Amino acid sequence: MTSYRTIRASGFSLVIAPKRLALLLALTLLLFLVALWSISSGTKHIPLGEIFTALFTPDAQSSADANVVVDFRLSRLTLALVSGAMLGVAGAIMQSLTRNGLADPSLLGVREGAALSVLVCLFLVPSLPTALRPVAGVIGGLTSAVIVFALSGVTSRLRFVLTGIGFSWFLSALLLILMASLDIRSLQSAMIWMAGNLQGASWDAVSVLAVILVAALVLIWVTARAADAQALGDSAAAALGINLRFLSSLHFSLAVILTASCVSYTGSIGFVGLIGPHIGRFLMPGGSFLGITVGAGLTGALLVSTADTIARTAFSPLELPTGLVLSAVGAPTLLLLLWLHRHRL
């Protein structure tokens, strides 16, 4: 049984669960250690002392090692952390909204729809500003998600997930047709990007995604209590005065926006939104919507940053796509979850 403690100060009170808070802090510490490992690892190993010197000593930021740390490794690590958190949070929102442990925006056509839309824009309008990529991705992802909802007619059964997977295959076929019409150089770039790759990380991309993530987290925090009430059932939530249509529409939009925006810069990184929420619920059983969402975000950041570091260093100087490493973990996890949910088929 979870124990709670109340902290009161100057008319303000906060109820916390010490055990869950300790788990979140431990997860944050693990994330920090992975970040140090990621920055120091690569074709050239950079000691931790030189890393801290490059980060916190302005006079040293013009050196070669400082440029490698700040301009390449740190920007790529930050993009991995932000994109992983976005995918984890999106998965937690979608699973809470549909009450389906197999629901994941990347399994519902959102990823493929966003990728198709972004690729079309990039090749038709090569000068498309970086800040407008998420707009194209959100349009494609939102359109795909709406079509899946319309075709399935239900969100809480496995039919919803299977409809999303089928529609994802259809969009994947359209992507292949599009790429077949490209020249060899454009085709190579598209295939590397589609596999989920963080090689093109930049601070511009990090800034755009960070703003979207922070805005989404604020909205999640504001609506967290309403989401907890919704988890009790639609009738109970309506009796408590919760506007279910508005809440569901908001959370659905947030999940699509987070996933599509992430895909716009990193390509098709899958399974994070599926695995992250389950790990979050495992670490914090019976936790609130906000706690599970934060846990899923931290787990997603940990998964993507670890996978990207492995992809970058395992066969150095060659690099694997980050999405490939995650798929090697995510595919068996999906099969395990399907087995656990076999009685709902």
Side-chain angles (χ1 to χ4, degrees):
M1 183 176 179
T2 303
S3 60
Y4 295 90
R5 292 187 180 181
T6 304
I7 300 176
R8 294 185 176 88
S10 303
F12 175 79
S13 63
L14 177 66
V15 179
I16 63 171
K19 183 178 179 180
R20 292 172 183 164
L21 181 60
L23 286 172
L24 285 177
L25 292 176
L27 195 58
T28 304
L29 177 60
L30 180 60
L31 193 60
F32 176 73
L33 295 176
V34 169
L36 291 179
W37 168 51
S38 178
I39 295 177
S40 63
S41 302
T43 305
K44 177 183 179 182
H45 175 74
I46 300 179
L48 293 180
E50 294 185 18
I51 292 175
F52 287 111
T53 300
L55 293 177
F56 302 109
T57 305
D59 295 338
Q61 292 182 357
S62 59
S63 65
D65 286 347
N67 289 333
V68 170
V69 170
V70 177
D71 296 333
F72 293 97
R73 294 185 185 177
L74 185 59
S75 62
R76 182 165 177 166
L77 170 66
T78 309
L79 182 61
L81 295 175
V82 173
S83 60
M86 293 175 76
L87 294 173
V89 169
I93 294 173
M94 188 64 74
Q95 292 182 15
S96 174
L97 177 63
T98 61
R99 298 171 192 169
N100 190 329
L102 295 175
D104 172 19
S106 65
L107 294 177
L108 304 179
V110 174
R111 182 178 62 186
E112 286 74 14
L116 181 61
S117 178
V118 170
L119 279 179
V120 169
C121 289
L122 287 178
F123 290 116
L124 291 181
V125 189
S127 59
L128 182 72
T130 301
L132 293 182
R133 279 195 194 180
V135 177
V138 168
I139 293 174
L142 189 60
T143 302
S144 301
V146 169
I147 292 175
V148 170
F149 271 100
L151 291 176
S152 63
V154 66
T155 60
S156 58
R157 298 179 184 174
L158 194 59
R159 185 173 69 189
F160 172 63
V161 177
L162 295 178
T163 302
I165 293 174
F167 191 68
S168 298
W169 290 345
F170 171 72
L171 293 177
S172 296
L174 294 182
L175 280 168
L176 290 175
I177 294 173
L178 172 64
M179 290 192 291
S181 63
L182 301 176
D183 60 82
I184 187 64
R185 181 174 297 179
S186 299
L187 175 61
Q188 184 179 17
S189 300
M191 290 184 67
I192 293 175
W193 179 77
M194 281 297 301
N197 202 306
L198 304 182
Q199 284 184 352
S202 66
W203 287 112
D204 289 338
V206 170
S207 301
V208 173
L209 293 184
V211 169
I212 295 173
L213 176 61
V214 171
L217 290 176
V218 170
L219 290 174
I220 290 170
W221 177 70
V222 171
T223 59
R225 289 190 177 183
D228 289 334
Q230 188 180 28
L232 300 174
D234 291 347
S235 300
L240 293 173
I242 304 299
N243 189 334
L244 294 176
R245 178 173 296 181
F246 171 78
L247 181 65
S248 298
S249 299
L250 176 63
H251 283 182
F252 170 73
S253 300
L254 286 177
V256 172
I257 290 171
L258 287 170
T259 303
S261 301
C262 180
V263 170
S264 301
Y265 290 109
T266 64
S268 299
I269 295 179
F271 296 108
V272 178
L274 178 68
I275 302 172
H278 284 279
I279 297 178
R281 279 189 290 270
F282 174 77
L283 293 176
M284 291 174 288
S288 64
F289 171 75
L290 181 61
I292 292 175
T293 303
V294 172
L298 290 174
T299 302
L302 181 63
L303 286 172
V304 176
S305 58
T306 302
D308 184 60
T309 304
I310 294 173
R312 184 167 54 84
T313 60
F315 299 97
S316 180
L318 299 178
E319 291 190 17
L320 296 174
T322 306
L324 180 62
V325 177
L326 282 169
S327 295
V329 177
T333 303
L334 176 60
L335 294 176
L336 175 62
L337 292 175
L338 285 172
W339 170 257
L340 295 175
H341 289 79
R342 64 191 183 279
H343 299 300
R344 301 182 185 180
L345 292 172

